[in-house]
Amino acid sequence: MKARLVSATGLLLLLAAPMCLAQSAMTCPTLPVGTALHWERSGSGSLLICKALDAQGAQAFGVMLTSKAPDKPSGAREEKGVIDGHQARWYHAQIANRPDAQTRLAVIELDNDRYAQIWIDAPNQAALETSMATVRNLQFGPNRPVADTHGVD
């Protein structure tokens, strides 16, 4: 009887381990040291949405983490970059009711079939540059170094 109980407990632990690993993989990236932003998290299952908010609650940028590759915008201008050591392509997007907004969208493939879609909807060029500088220094994995962005086309 005791052997069956130990076996059943071991089986439950083996079944629960992948779920715990999947849940631990779905965390918001680490914000750079010294930033005054914090994360607001939402989502469930294989989707996590992280919104970087300032002290007043204004969103600086957002990150969607998923196990499926998000669609990339078609026909949008793009520029190259690096985010946490991953090659990124920033796409310029436009919002119909806010033509002056500075909007960018990036999709990057992370480790183990994880994807991040990052969006910035800034009110002006200065806010866009600040948000992009912060995003370049996000860390998506534990103990990862901040990406070196020198020498990127």
Side-chain angles (χ1 to χ4, degrees):
M1 179 68 144
K2 190 173 184 180
R4 285 188 189 149
L5 181 60
V6 170
S7 296
T9 303
L11 179 61
L12 287 174
L13 288 173
L14 284 174
L15 292 174
M19 290 187 293
C20 293
L21 288 172
Q23 288 175 352
S24 68
M26 294 294 284
T27 60
C28 292
T30 302
L31 290 162
V33 175
T35 184
L37 301 172
H38 65 277
W39 290 118
E40 176 183 276
R41 297 167 181 84
S42 62
S44 61
S46 63
L47 174 71
L48 177 64
I49 298 173
C50 307
K51 295 179 183 178
L53 306 177
D54 64 17
Q56 292 76 35
Q59 182 176 315
F61 59 88
V63 177
M64 178 179 72
L65 297 167
T66 182
S67 59
K68 296 181 182 176
D71 293 332
K72 296 178 184 177
S74 60
R77 292 184 319 163
E78 60 181 74
E79 49 193 75
K80 295 178 183 178
V82 175
I83 302 170
D84 191 27
H86 302 279
Q87 292 297 316
R89 296 211 183 266
W90 284 100
Y91 298 93
H92 296 239
Q94 291 193 334
I95 301 174
N97 63 347
R98 294 184 52 217
D100 295 337
Q102 300 293 313
T103 304
R104 300 293 185 276
L105 173 71
V107 176
I108 58 174
E109 184 173 358
L110 304 171
D111 306 331
N112 303 322
D113 294 324
R114 290 186 312 136
Y115 298 86
Q117 178 173 315
I118 302 154
W119 70 93
I120 300 172
D121 180 17
N124 55 51
Q125 186 66 31
L128 174 67
E129 291 171 7
T130 299
S131 290
M132 288 187 82
T134 302
V135 167
R136 279 192 294 271
N137 292 303
L138 291 175
Q139 294 182 2
F140 284 90
N143 303 317
R144 291 195 60 139
V146 174
D148 178 7
T149 58
H150 298 290
V152 175
D153 314 310

